[in-house]
């Protein structure tokens, strides 16, 4: 199994596919085209006939059903092409470690992977891992998922004695922007249910996620020469920083875990006259999200009270919603995933996603889409690493889903 996955992964991570949330078009960056075209060509080379890369960089391919299995429902597997913009994804140099010795691993920039602190790293002693060199992210999110899906497809093609229904392969752009499948060709999708392969450590299965909103907050000040500012000046830059300081520190990403939501300021900019602040809101509960949105409105009034000549405008926009309710309505996808994990010898655990996947949006669109682990850790960081053993386990689970 490793030979079907590892060479692909080491190849894919070298593509610079960082997305850019400030760009309106889909895809947001040209590098995603390079990887999408490579994957299209690989699928065609494997013998698939039904392969399409559309004008917005959505790649959809289908592995035909085995003879006698044509009436079985079509099952989809989805992974995203882009990597996050939090840390550079250019000139990625994956570090392959075979027979890991269980000791600290030194990275660039004074960083290191310490098995005493890195959950799951000690378990990799004697096994193969891949990590970043510390200058960039690795890109396991989500090139590991792509490699695992592609490995499963090749395995089934080269083992035709294994019977299965139709399989749909979907690779999407710009997941990391949080825009939620813009321009997605839903009318072309045949899958009755689908699976994102976009999770973390081995065995983690996710069927619920945050409700996610983005708030763009604009601050309008009043400008006058600062030597004559008393009672007149409303400093928009100071208004924005004052608003950011009102966000509760106990409800920040770094102070929460499990089912606790948060406010997260993502970007701030401006000058005396105009400033802006972008805030992400996350909550598993709908009522909790309403409370967070109302809190932003209250903070806006507080800032306006402190700066009588200024104005604060809050605009909120939904990004994606918790997929749990819709998956509960159609539980077959999750039931099949649990069975497949058991058949692959993988001990599973259900966990909430403290984030979202393209499956969140696809579920909202009517196709239940739980999330499967990939084996990766420390996503979006210079300390990202992945277990090759766990990558192989993910691939085995995919194959079991298809064949069960």
């Amino acid at each position: 199994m490793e030979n079907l996955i590892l060479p692909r992964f080491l190849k894919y991570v070298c593509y610079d596919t960082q997305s850019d949330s400030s760009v309106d078009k889909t895809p947001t960056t040209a590098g995603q085209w390079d990887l999408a075209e490579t994957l299209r060509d690989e699928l065609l080379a494997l013998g698939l006939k039904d392969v399409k890369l559309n004008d917005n960089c959505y790649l959809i391919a289908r592995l035909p059903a085995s003879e006698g299995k044509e009436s079985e429902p079509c099952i989809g597997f989805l992974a995203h092409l882009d990597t996050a913009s939090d840390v550079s994804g250019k000139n990625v140099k994956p570090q392959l470690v075979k027979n890991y010795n269980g000791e600290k691993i030194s990275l660039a920039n004074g960083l290191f992977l310490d098995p005493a602190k890195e959950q799951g790293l000690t378990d990799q002693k004697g096994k193969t891992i891949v990590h970043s060199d510390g200058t960039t992210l690795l890109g396991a999110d989500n090139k590991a998922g792509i490699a695992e899906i592609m490995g499963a497809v090749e395995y089934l093609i080269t083992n035709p004695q294994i019977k299965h229904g139709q399989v749909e392969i979907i690779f999407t752009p710009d997941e990391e922007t949080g825009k939620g499948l813009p321009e997605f060709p839903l009318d072309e999708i045949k899958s009755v249910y689908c699976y994102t392969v976009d999770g973390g450590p081995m065995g983690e299965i996710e069927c619920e996620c945050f409700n996610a909103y983005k708030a763009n907050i604009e601050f309008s000040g009043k400008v006058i020469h600062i030597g004559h500012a008393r009672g007149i000046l409303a400093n928009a830059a100071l208004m924005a920083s004052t608003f950011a300081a009102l966000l509760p520190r106990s409800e920040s990403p770094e102070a929460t875990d499990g089912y606790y939501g948060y406010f997260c300021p993502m970007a701030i900019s401006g000058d005396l006259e105009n400033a802006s602040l972008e805030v992400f809101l996350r909550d598993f509960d709908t009522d909790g999200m309403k409370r967070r949105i109302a809190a932003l409105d209250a903070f806006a009034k507080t800032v306006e009270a402190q700066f009588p000549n200024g104005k604060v405008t809050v605009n909120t926009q939904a990004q994606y919603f918790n997929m749990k309710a819709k998956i509960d309505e159609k539980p077959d996808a999750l039931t099949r995933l649990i069975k497949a994990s058991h058949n692959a010898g993988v001990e599973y655990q259900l966990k909430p996603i403290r984030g979202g996947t393209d499956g969140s949006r696809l579920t909202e669109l009517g196709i239940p889409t739980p999330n499967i682990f990939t084996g990766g850790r420390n996503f979006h960081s210079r300390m990202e690493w992945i277990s090759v053993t766990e990558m192989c386990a993910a691939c085995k689970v995919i194959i079991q889903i298809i064949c069960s």
Side-chain angles (χ1 to χ4, degrees):
M1 192 66 69
E2 180 176 319
N3 66 317
L4 297 177
I5 302 170
L6 182 57
R8 285 189 165 96
F9 178 67
L10 295 175
K11 173 184 176 181
Y12 298 158
V13 296
C14 293
Y15 285 81
D16 181 7
T17 62
Q18 283 188 289
S19 50
D20 185 347
S21 60
S22 68
V23 176
D24 289 334
K25 66 179 181 179
T26 303
T28 59
T29 54
Q32 296 179 71
W33 279 113
D34 297 334
L35 179 55
E37 289 166 355
T38 295
L39 293 168
R40 175 198 60 196
D41 294 346
E42 288 185 9
L43 289 163
L44 290 169
L46 286 171
L48 273 65
K49 306 296 184 185
D50 190 357
V51 180
K52 180 181 178 182
L53 178 59
N54 77 5
D55 292 341
N56 293 113
C57 204
Y58 287 94
L59 177 58
I60 301 172
R62 296 179 187 90
L63 177 65
S66 303
E67 184 177 354
K69 295 283 189 174
E70 295 87 354
S71 62
E72 293 197 1
C74 180
I75 301 173
F77 294 88
L78 184 154
H80 60 88
L81 301 162
D82 64 320
T83 57
S85 59
D86 304 344
V87 173
S88 175
K90 187 176 182 179
N91 297 324
V92 172
K93 299 177 181 66
Q95 306 295 299
L96 178 63
V97 180
K98 295 186 176 181
N99 193 25
Y100 168 56
N101 61 14
E103 298 178 358
K104 287 184 180 180
I105 300 173
S106 296
L107 309 177
N109 300 314
L111 302 173
F112 55 87
L113 296 174
D114 184 350
K117 298 178 180 179
E118 290 289 328
Q119 186 176 7
L121 188 55
T122 299
D123 297 336
Q124 308 308 317
K125 187 175 181 179
K127 301 176 183 178
T128 300
I129 64 172
V130 183
H131 62 82
S132 70
D133 70 348
T135 63
T136 69
L137 49 68
L138 176 61
D141 181 9
N142 190 222
K143 289 161 185 173
I146 295 175
E148 290 154 8
I149 292 170
M150 292 291 290
V153 170
E154 181 173 353
Y155 183 85
L156 292 171
I157 289 172
T158 55
N159 290 275
Q161 74 279 7
I162 301 175
K163 304 301 180 182
H164 56 82
Q166 187 179 49
V167 180
E168 197 161 48
I169 301 106
I170 308 167
F171 297 133
T172 61
D174 295 328
E175 190 264 2
E176 298 290 1
T177 66
K179 294 180 180 179
L181 296 176
E183 313 296 339
F184 184 70
L186 182 63
D187 58 342
E188 297 181 21
I189 301 301
K190 296 184 179 181
S191 300
V192 175
Y193 42 87
C194 191
Y195 301 89
T196 46
V197 188
D198 193 14
M202 183 166 68
E204 289 189 1
I205 293 173
E206 297 156 325
C207 62
E208 55 185 316
C209 63
F210 278 136
N211 295 295
Y213 277 72
K214 177 176 70 172
N216 292 311
I217 306 158
E218 301 296 329
F219 303 86
S220 299
K222 185 173 182 179
V223 178
I224 192 171
H225 190 292
I226 57 175
H228 305 280
R230 182 178 175 89
I232 301 172
L233 175 68
N235 184 335
L238 185 55
M239 291 168 66
S241 60
T242 300
F243 190 107
L246 290 171
L247 299 174
R249 293 284 294 116
S250 61
E251 297 183 48
S252 63
E254 60 270 31
T256 55
D257 57 12
Y259 284 92
Y260 291 96
Y262 57 76
F263 301 88
C264 184
M266 301 295 292
I268 187 169
S269 63
D271 52 28
L272 287 175
E273 188 166 31
N274 295 288
S276 62
L277 172 66
E278 181 181 74
V279 178
F280 278 9
L281 311 178
R282 299 292 186 262
D283 206 294
F284 285 95
D285 182 69
T286 301
D287 289 338
M289 180 57 70
K290 290 178 180 177
R291 177 183 68 81
R292 295 185 188 282
I293 293 172
L296 294 187
D297 292 333
F299 298 156
K301 290 182 173 61
T302 299
V303 172
E304 287 181 338
Q306 294 182 45
F307 298 84
N309 291 328
K311 182 173 177 56
V312 183
T313 304
V314 179
N315 295 302
T316 56
Q317 177 185 353
Q319 294 176 297
Y320 54 83
F321 298 101
N322 193 339
M323 58 187 176
K324 186 178 188 304
K326 290 189 177 294
I327 289 179
D328 287 346
E329 290 173 4
K330 299 178 180 179
D332 288 353
L334 181 58
T335 300
R336 191 162 185 155
L337 173 51
I338 290 172
K339 179 182 177 183
S341 298
H342 176 77
N343 290 342
V346 174
E347 184 177 347
Y348 77 90
Q349 59 178 134
L350 293 174
K351 292 193 67 177
I353 308 174
R354 287 187 59 80
T357 67
D358 278 338
S360 311
R361 177 63 175 148
L362 197 55
T363 299
E364 183 186 346
L365 293 173
I367 303 174
T369 308
N371 192 36
I372 303 172
F373 66 92
T374 62
R377 314 295 205 284
N378 297 340
F379 293 146
H380 298 198
S381 83
R382 300 179 192 275
M383 298 173 64
E384 191 177 358
W385 65 276
I386 193 164
S387 161
V388 175
T389 299
E390 295 183 13
M391 293 180 75
C392 293
C395 189
K396 290 175 183 177
V397 170
I398 293 169
I399 294 167
Q400 288 295 326
I401 291 171
I402 294 169
C403 300
S404 61

